[in-house]
Amino acid sequence: MTEKGDNALVKILPTVCRLKDYQPVAEHPYLGKSTMVLSVMQSGMNANSVPDKAMVRMDVRTVVGQDLDALSEEIESMAGAGVETSRIAHTLPLWTDPELPWCRTVRKIVGEVKGYEPEIEGAIFGTDASSLRFALAEEPLIVLGPGAQNIAHKTNEFVEVRELKEAQTIFERLISAWYDL
């Protein structure tokens, strides 16, 4: 008699179809565009019962200046009537003016170690540095380290030993510069 149940999974599928290609329109000159991905879908407890609940989670990466309330309203509207939405967590996007004196010092040291001045880049990814913005509002926060963004958090993620050694040298020199040693 499972075919007679009120299937929450079937009910949520139109919402998934509406949201699957949604991309927020906000953009930052260095951080790029905000992004969205549907990342988790759950329903039911086993194959022989009709799911009474279904849940979909999406990960939205915002950029500096993006209106979170407007974004939430847009997603809620797209989700449709009868679908409950909630914001589980929000981490502020991280941006530090690259022309601040400390940022120029960082670029200089990185350039000396690597043999070329690095480009000013941004990325849409989560970092603990964003959480530090609350406690260190006036400090220049920079995300810097070895490895390639295009393989981060993938099953084949790796960092070359050469990059680790360069990073050690860079961090030692940055610490010396910060504390004027």
Side-chain angles (χ1 to χ4, degrees):
M1 298 283 242
T2 56
E3 72 280 359
K4 295 186 180 190
D6 189 18
N7 194 319
L9 174 59
V10 171
K11 285 182 170 181
I12 198 81
L13 291 177
T15 297
V16 172
C17 289
R18 283 191 299 274
L19 290 172
K20 73 179 179 62
D21 295 322
Y22 170 71
Q23 289 300 319
V25 295
E27 190 167 354
H28 184 274
Y30 287 100
L31 299 176
K33 294 180 179 182
S34 57
T35 62
M36 185 285 293
V37 63
L38 291 170
S39 53
V40 176
M41 185 170 179
Q42 295 176 328
S43 70
M45 295 175 18
N46 50 42
N48 66 343
S49 62
V50 179
D52 62 340
K53 295 179 184 172
M55 181 272 300
V56 175
R57 284 196 177 152
M58 59 193 310
D59 179 47
V60 180
R61 304 293 171 104
T62 60
V63 295
V64 174
Q66 192 165 5
D67 184 336
L68 293 181
D69 292 331
L71 176 64
S72 294
E73 288 173 16
E74 186 175 9
I75 291 169
E76 188 173 320
S77 173
M78 290 182 72
V83 177
E84 180 184 326
T85 63
S86 63
R87 191 183 310 167
I88 296 172
H90 179 252
T91 304
L92 291 174
L94 178 66
W95 176 248
T96 301
D97 181 351
E99 295 309 317
L100 290 172
W102 177 247
C103 295
R104 288 196 306 268
T105 298
V106 170
R107 283 199 313 277
K108 179 178 180 280
I109 289 171
V110 170
E112 290 169 358
V113 173
K114 292 183 117 359
Y116 60 89
E117 185 165 330
E119 291 182 38
I120 299 168
E121 295 183 75
I124 300 287
F125 58 68
T127 171
D128 292 338
S130 296
S131 299
L132 294 173
R133 179 57 71 208
F134 295 108
L136 303 170
E138 302 303 316
E139 299 298 334
L141 299 177
I142 300 169
V143 177
L144 173 68
Q149 289 182 26
N150 64 333
I151 61 167
H153 306 293
K154 294 186 179 175
T155 54
N156 63 342
E157 180 178 12
F158 66 92
V159 176
E160 294 183 14
V161 172
R162 172 190 53 76
E163 292 180 49
L164 286 173
K165 290 179 180 179
E166 280 181 347
Q168 178 182 353
T169 302
I170 290 167
F171 294 143
E172 287 171 351
R173 292 188 56 194
L174 289 173
I175 291 167
S176 292
W178 181 263
Y179 290 104
D180 201 23
L181 300 176

